[in-house]
Amino acid sequence: MAVAGCTAIMCVTALLALTQPWADDGPPTDAGELPALARAHGVDLGVAVAVEPLLWDGGYQDVVEGHYTSLTAENTMKWEHVQPERGVFEWSGPDTVVHFAESHGMDLRGHTLLWHNQQPSWLSEGVWTSAELREVLREHMEALMGRYQGRIGAWDVINEPFEDGGPFLRENLWYQVLGEDYIAEALWMAHEVDPEARLYINEFNIEGGGAKSDALYALASDLLDRGVPLHGIGFQSHFVHGQVPENLAETMTRFTDLGLEVTVTELDVRIAEPVSEEAIQEQREEFRHVVAACLDVSGCRGVTVWGVGDAHSWIPEWFPGYDAATPFDEDYEPKPALWGMVDALSREPSERSAGSRRRGTGRVPGGTRRRPVR
Ligand code: XIL
């Protein structure tokens, strides 16, 4: 394809001219244009990956490198994997993900630092003074964020801080020992460790608005008012087929209006069993809708899909009775959901999206006005 020397808009227009039949005639035989389309819009199209298949499964590797521009480690950067014993760090999994991304020119999202799940027992069952827990947190951040400093652009520093149904803060280990300001403390600490990284709060059940979303909005506003280095909100987006929020772009815009960036960090759309062909077809529009919502919001950095294919999705285990939540089937064949993402990205990039608009966003309004709490 002769695209050398063209501007981003010209390139994508040329690309679209060649691929225009997609919209009318269904899927192209090769969806390898997806990364180029995403980049032309200035967004990432990411996927969460597991270490073993990334190392050994050719079909898995082909899906990842052929369709996505960014990786998130589904589990291997979580605390229980990185620091299973105090002071004992396991780098083979995280290194595998980082090296795969870098050798394929992909971006990385870091997931995750403070969460109530997948903590090693020495951490979750320890009896800590606040000074000790701060020290433990600093050691962990310095080791993990420090190891990949300058290579992982954004980190989910705080994961799922609100109770499942909201709107109250979850009384996790960090809350119990450090108090509710643990969120600000952790963001300051992360900012010290990697001053260039964009720092996120990542949450679920906020995408369509409501009390939990409002509570997160109030928290984010307060943090920004205090000059805390919060740069983005992750919309996890674990949706149920038939219940994908119409107003996703509107909810995102509420947060970007605060000066934050947003990212769809963990998209899947689970279908109740028995999974019908009709539902699989309808899922195309749901994936299209989510990607289109991101393109509609100038501060949206991208969409990451949670799982390479249905055989590797967390859904059947965690939500018994549901399945088929990702854009590839159990044999790595593309599903209509994949073409839904192609549909969304096939529109012409706007003037704003085609450039480097997203690279410079995520600045904290007013800058940093307060010193870190130690
Ligand atoms: C999930 C993984 O996909 C599973 O493999 C693991 O057993 C549990 O965690 N929100 C998050 C993710 O932030 O880290 C979770 O990932 C899904 C919910």
Side-chain angles (χ1 to χ4, degrees):
M1 195 174 296
V3 291
C6 57
T7 67
I9 290 181
M10 286 163 60
C11 283
V12 90
T13 305
L15 214 55
L16 287 174
L18 289 170
T19 56
Q20 204 53 52
W22 293 0
D24 301 320
D25 299 333
T29 51
D30 176 10
E33 292 86 355
L34 266 178
L37 288 172
R39 289 195 179 101
H41 282 278
V43 296
D44 264 320
L45 193 60
V47 65
V49 290
V51 175
E52 291 302 314
L54 198 63
L55 279 171
W56 310 115
D57 183 338
Y60 190 97
Q61 294 163 351
D62 287 347
V63 169
V64 173
E65 64 184 77
H67 301 87
Y68 295 102
T69 67
S70 167
L71 295 187
T72 301
E74 183 176 0
N75 286 301
T76 196
M77 289 191 193
K78 291 173 181 171
W79 202 306
E80 70 175 3
H81 294 284
V82 169
Q83 198 180 171
E85 302 292 336
R86 184 159 186 196
V88 176
F89 293 90
E90 298 285 350
W91 298 120
S92 63
D95 281 355
T96 298
V97 174
V98 170
H99 291 155
F100 190 98
E102 290 180 341
S103 61
H104 292 89
M106 303 169 95
D107 290 336
L108 284 152
R109 297 198 82 258
H111 180 80
T112 181
L113 294 164
L114 285 83
W115 192 29
H116 61 283
N117 280 333
Q118 293 181 275
Q119 300 182 128
S121 54
W122 67 266
L123 176 65
S124 58
E125 291 165 18
V127 178
W128 305 103
T129 66
S130 53
E132 285 167 345
L133 194 62
R134 283 189 185 106
E135 189 53 31
V136 163
L137 182 57
R138 183 173 292 278
E139 284 167 11
H140 189 76
M141 283 188 181
E142 284 178 351
L144 178 53
M145 296 182 83
R147 184 175 182 87
Y148 304 113
Q149 189 172 1
R151 298 157 76 188
I152 295 185
W155 272 99
D156 294 330
V157 178
I158 310 289
N159 201 30
E160 304 180 350
F162 288 94
E163 288 178 356
D164 287 2
F168 301 110
L169 283 177
R170 194 185 290 277
E171 295 190 11
N172 58 21
L173 171 71
W174 313 100
Y175 181 101
Q176 286 169 21
V177 177
L178 302 177
E180 68 181 55
D181 216 33
Y182 83 88
I183 294 173
E185 275 199 52
L187 287 164
W188 275 117
M189 208 184 273
H191 185 60
E192 276 187 37
V193 173
D194 188 349
E196 299 302 317
R198 306 190 310 281
L199 307 180
Y200 272 64
I201 298 176
N202 192 41
E203 189 52 278
F204 70 99
N205 274 354
I206 55 160
E207 299 83 359
K212 186 173 179 180
S213 198
D214 289 348
L216 176 57
Y217 180 85
L219 171 67
S221 306
D222 175 61
L223 292 169
L224 293 177
D225 283 348
R226 292 161 55 197
V228 175
L230 170 69
H231 308 119
I233 301 295
F235 282 54
Q236 287 191 5
S237 305
H238 293 293
F239 294 134
V240 179
H241 169 59
Q243 299 173 32
V244 177
E246 277 297 315
N247 60 348
L248 178 59
E250 205 178 295
T251 313
M252 287 176 169
T253 303
R254 259 191 108 192
F255 287 91
T256 58
D257 282 350
L258 289 174
L260 293 166
E261 60 180 57
V262 295
T263 298
V264 173
T265 50
E266 305 185 13
L267 174 63
D268 51 26
V269 181
R270 57 185 182 270
I271 299 175
E273 292 175 314
V275 175
S276 67
E277 183 52 34
E278 192 186 3
I280 292 283
Q281 290 297 335
E282 289 165 357
Q283 206 186 31
R284 175 177 185 152
E285 168 55 21
E286 295 177 316
F287 274 78
R288 188 208 64 77
H289 173 72
V290 173
V291 174
C294 181
L295 299 183
D296 285 343
V297 176
S298 66
C300 181
R301 306 274 302 217
V303 174
T304 284
V305 173
W306 205 248
V308 169
D310 290 343
H312 294 276
S313 167
W314 73 310
I315 291 299
E317 185 189 341
W318 286 80
F319 298 92
Y322 289 86
D323 202 354
T326 79
F328 286 85
D329 73 11
E330 304 215 337
D331 300 317
Y332 303 131
E333 290 299 323
K335 292 159 59 184
L338 185 76
W339 310 120
M341 299 203 294
V342 172
D343 294 342
L345 289 165
S346 294
R347 79 187 195 198
E348 194 159 341
S350 68
E351 190 72 42
R352 295 180 62 207
S353 62
S356 57
R357 68 182 170 98
R358 290 184 174 84
R359 300 300 164 210
T361 60
R363 297 288 299 277
V364 177
T368 52
R369 295 191 291 268
R370 205 182 67 140
R371 287 307 307 152
V373 180
R374 280 192 172 266

